[in-house]
């Protein structure tokens, strides 16, 4: 049966992030994707001024109730950027209405980068995000978000492998009791400081994995959404957490390289579109090899 995912993010009309990334990525891997837009903006908030913003918080619970009345069930619910603490709490209630026993809840706690909370959020926002993470089966913070969730000072790294494992283990305490695991992005390994990667910990198998690639400057907007969307697509398609994380690293890096070669403004997001026709192949790469 075709897999079903509900994606709960804003729509930033221009700038390749949130739903304009999640929907094409999930669809390209064969997943039927239902969208719950939490806000509509003309662009994302990272580096643009004068953007429009229409909050759709009042629609979140009515949409969830309607879907629930229709008897819809989801293999995964995937949340990303949320605009306020109040909206986070509405999304927690919506997840309560929409989840069933097999649903994997993937939470990307979008709120910060490079040691700083995004200016649109107040200091209480990380506490609300932590409440949402407690409902999650998988969380995908970057290292700044991980520090805010844990309430510890941000450190940029590079880190020792042991430190990376400790960070990932402390994140594993924040998710649901029978969670699948955690993925920490933007991690630099002290033994390989020209690279950047993602660490995963699969709670069910007690396995750590770390995948990295050359660090590419400048930082492009929306790469976290490309990463988390591919990760979610791979998990829903039955890959392990470690394999899903590797696919997400590969796909994100390839998208960044194409964008850098094209010389695109880094606020415009990355060219993830040109790789979509090969995404299924990337996710099922081991299956093809063993077929
Ligand atoms: O990429 C995350 C994101 C999504 N949506 C909006 C954003 C951001 C990050 O800044 O501003 C509106």
């Amino acid at each position: 049966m075709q897999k079903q995912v509900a994606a709960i993010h804003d729509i930033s009309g221009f700038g390749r992030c949130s739903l304009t990334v999640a929907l094409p990525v999930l669809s390209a891997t064969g997943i039927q994707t239902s969208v719950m837009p939490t806000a509509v903006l003309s662009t994302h908030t990272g580096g643009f001024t004068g953007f429009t913003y229409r909050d759709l918080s009042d629609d979140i619970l009515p949409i969830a109730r309607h879907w629930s009345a229709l008897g819809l069930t989801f293999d995964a619910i995937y949340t990303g950027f949320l605009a306020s603490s109040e909206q986070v709490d509405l999304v927690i209630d919506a997840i309560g209405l929409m989840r069933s026993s097999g649903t994997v809840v993937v939470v990307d706690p979008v709120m910060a980068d490079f040691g700083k909370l995004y200016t649109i959020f107040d200091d209480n926002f990380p506490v609300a995000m932590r409440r949402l993470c407690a409902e999650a089966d998988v969380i995908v913070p970057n290292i700044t978000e991980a520090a805010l969730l844990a309430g510890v000072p941000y450190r940029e790294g590079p880190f020792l492998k042991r430190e990376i494992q400790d960070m990932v283990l402390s994140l594993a305490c924040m998710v649901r009791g029978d969670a699948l695991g955690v993925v920490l992005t933007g991690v630099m390994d002290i033994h390989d400081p020209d690279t950047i990667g993602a660490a995963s910990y699969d709670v069910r198998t007690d396995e750590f994995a770390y995948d990295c690639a050359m660090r590419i400057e400048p930082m492009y907007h929306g790469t976290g959404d490309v990463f988390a969307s591919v990760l979610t697509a791979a998990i829903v398609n039955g890959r392990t957490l470690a394999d899903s994380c590797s696919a997400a690293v590969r796909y994100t890096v390839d998208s960044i390289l194409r964008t850098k070669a094209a010389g695109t403004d880094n606020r415009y997001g990355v060219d993830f579109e040109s790789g979509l026709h090969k995404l299924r192949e990337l996710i099922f790469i081991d299956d093809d090899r063993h077929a």
Side-chain angles (χ1 to χ4, degrees), residues 8 30 64 158 182 224:
I8 308 181
V182 301

Side-chain angles (χ1 to χ4, degrees), residues 2-23:
Q2 193 178 11
K3 300 288 186 185
Q4 305 288 327
V5 171
I8 308 181
H9 305 243
D10 67 281
I11 299 182
S12 291
F14 178 78
R16 293 193 279 211
C17 65
S18 41
L19 278 185
T20 66
V21 169
L23 181 54

Side-chain angles (χ1 to χ4, degrees), residues 10 12 17-18 41 44-46 81 110 118 221-222 225:
D10 67 281
S12 291
C17 65
S18 41
L41 297 86
H44 58 70
T45 65
F81 177 94
V110 179
Y118 295 146
H221 194 88
D225 294 343

